Structures are given as C-alpha cells and as structure tokens.
C-alpha cells in the first residue's frame, strides 16, 4: 500500500517540476524516460541530463535557459520546461528559437546528414496558449504551407496545455487515455487532495507516473521547498495584484478625463455625466469644483 501524503508540492512550479525528473534516483530517471516517451511518442530506453545552458556562440548573444536538457540514446536532444503561468511571451517564436538552438548545440556529425539527430522543445503550459484549438497536445514540425507535407522533422516543438485536458468522470476511462494526457492530468492534479482517487488510478496505470509520485512525495518532505513555494506564490500574487491595480487605475483615469471633458462642454447635468462615465456623483462635483477653480485662475 502506498504511503500517502496529506500535502504535495505543486508540480506546476517550475523548480518542483524540474526536481521531479532530475533527482539522482532510479524513480526520477524512470519518470523522465516515461515522460519523454509519452511526449515524443517513442520508447525512450535511455536518457542523460546535460548542462542546463548551452554556451553563447558569440559575445553579446542573448542567453537562454533550459530547464531540463536531455540527450537520448540515439543522439536525439530534448529540452523540457514547465511554464507555470502566462508571462505574455511570444511562445511560438520562443519555442522555435529554443528548438533551433537546441539542434545547433548537438555534436557535429561531419557531412553525414543522415546522422543529424532530431531535437524536441517540450513545454508544459499551465495556461491556455491557443484559444481557437481545443486539443491539449500540439506537435509542430516544419511543413509545406501548400500541402502540409513535412520536411525532415529535425526540429520539433511540443506544447501540452493543462487547461485543455479532458475532464475524467470515471476512473475506468483512464486506461484508454494517451500517456501524454495521463502525465498532464498528474501534473495538474497531484497536489489536489480532492483528486487523490484519480491520481491513484493514473499511477496504477502508468509506472513512470507512479515513480514521479514517489519522487514528488519525497520532495514534499523538504520544508525548505515549501518555503520557496510560498515565496514564489506570494510574488506571483503580488504581480497579479499589481497588474490588476494598474489596470483599474488606468480605467479610473480615463473616466476622470472623460468627465472633465463633459464638464468643460457644459451640456450635461452632473448626474448625467456620473451615469455616463461610471463615477460617483460626489466625484463629479469634486471635478466640477476643480475645473471652476482652474477657469478662475486662468481669468485672473
């Protein structure tokens, strides 16, 4: 019987996500192989985690950070990352750039282009990227825009959008799910006590995810990770609150500007202006008094 944890760390936090797959343990190694197999839809038998950041190729080049940089047994390279919240980046451009850099950092193979390894840039997104497509899993390669034929499939970009995962009503349906959807569901629900029965069914159906749960449980025993998670959550709330306040302040400034314009035109009552711009009548009276003072000073 599995040793249950009442509380699990949030695996959608990028540092925890990375830790699940990079521990020096058999469970962590098996979890990484299982995850990669699910994402690229090929059996990954061996994988090595490499240096996180490839060296810049020239002075002043923009540095990039890889969360988990892997090399498979056949030379295939893969970069895996978790995007826990929408940073309003150009994710399509960013992903293509990362995939190209990943391919260019592979060992040179001389003139034998048949041996050029494939590269996968894999992003798990805890937000909706493509609002016009309900599919949670996207695999992009270079294709002909006229007929859709693929090129060499050297560069591959994969997005897994957690917000689009199907709702699982019955645990019996889990066995029929693609492995990538099982992994996505685990990452989305592992820290939710209400979803424990669902997680149990998923881990029982997928050994690699069971290993990931073992690693996550061990990480959850580290109180410093909880402190770090609380700090990051607090920072994100502050950022979100700051954006909300900034938006509200901007809207309020626009309302005030509109109200002052209407007052200067002197064609509407204060009550009509208040209703039209969405400000309290008291604020309109205050603005009217300020405007009257300004006019008096100009006349003097």
């Amino acid at each position: 019987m599995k040793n249950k944890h009442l509380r699990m760390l949030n695996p959608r936090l990028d540092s925890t996500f990375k830790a699940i797959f990079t521990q020096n343990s058999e469970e962590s190694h098996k979890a990484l192989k299982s995850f990669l197999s699910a994402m690229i839809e090929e059996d990954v038998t061996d994988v090595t985690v490499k240096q996180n950041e490839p060296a810049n190729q020239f002075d002043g080049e923009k540095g990039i950070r890889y969360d988990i940089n892997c090399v498979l047994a056949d030379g295939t390279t893969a970069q895996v990352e978790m995007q826990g919240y929408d940073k309003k980046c150009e994710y399509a451009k960013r992903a293509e750039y990362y995939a190209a850099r990943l391919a260019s950092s592979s060992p040179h193979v001389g003139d034998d282009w048949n041996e050029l390894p494939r590269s996968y840039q894999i992003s798990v997104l805890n937000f909706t990227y493509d609002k016009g497509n309900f599919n949670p899993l996207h695999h992009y390669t270079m294709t002909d825009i006229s007929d859709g034929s693929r090129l060499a499939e050297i560069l591959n970009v994969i997005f897994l959008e957690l917000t689009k995962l199907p709702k699982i009503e019955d645990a019996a349906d889990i066995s029929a799910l693609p492995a990538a959807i099982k992994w996505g569901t685990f990452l989305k629900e592992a820290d939710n006590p209400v979803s424990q029965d669902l997680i149990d069914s998923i881990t029982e159906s997928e050994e690699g995810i069971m290993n990931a749960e073992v690693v996550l449980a061990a990480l959850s025993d580290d109180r410093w990770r909880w402190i770090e998670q609380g700090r990051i959550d607090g920072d994100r709330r502050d950022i979100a609150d700051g954006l909300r306040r900034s938006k509200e302040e901007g809207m309020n400034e626009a309302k005030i500007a509109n109200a002052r314009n209407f007052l200067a035109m002197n064609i509407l009552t204060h009550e009509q202006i208040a209703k039209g711009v969405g400000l309290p009548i008291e604020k309109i009276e205050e603005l009217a008094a300020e405007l009257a003072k300004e006019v008096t000073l100009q006349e003097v």
Side-chain angles (χ1 to χ4, degrees), residues 83-96:
Q83 290 293 333
Y85 68 105
D86 189 356
K87 299 177 182 177
K88 305 301 180 184
C89 295
E90 289 284 349
Y91 284 99
K93 295 178 182 178
R94 179 178 178 275
E96 282 191 284

Side-chain angles (χ1 to χ4, degrees), residues 7-8 15 22 38 41 52 54 61 69 75 83 94 97 126 137 147 190 193 208 221 235 259 273 276 290 294 296:
R7 297 177 66 208
M8 287 283 204
S15 58
T22 57
E41 297 185 309
N52 233 24
E61 181 181 15
N69 193 11
Q83 290 293 333
R94 179 178 178 275
Y97 174 72
N126 191 35
L137 186 64
D147 60 16
D221 283 335
D235 289 346
I273 295 174
E290 292 176 358
E294 292 174 6
T296 299

Side-chain angles (χ1 to χ4, degrees), residues 80-125:
V80 182
E81 66 173 355
M82 166 65 73
Q83 290 293 333
Y85 68 105
D86 189 356
K87 299 177 182 177
K88 305 301 180 184
C89 295
E90 289 284 349
Y91 284 99
K93 295 178 182 178
R94 179 178 178 275
E96 282 191 284
Y97 174 72
Y98 273 33
R101 279 297 308 272
L102 188 61
S104 68
S105 67
S106 300
H108 295 291
V109 291
D111 295 328
D112 191 351
W113 293 103
N114 291 322
E115 296 183 8
L116 189 66
R118 293 164 298 161
S119 296
Y120 291 87
Q121 199 281 331
I122 304 170
S123 296
V124 180
L125 307 178

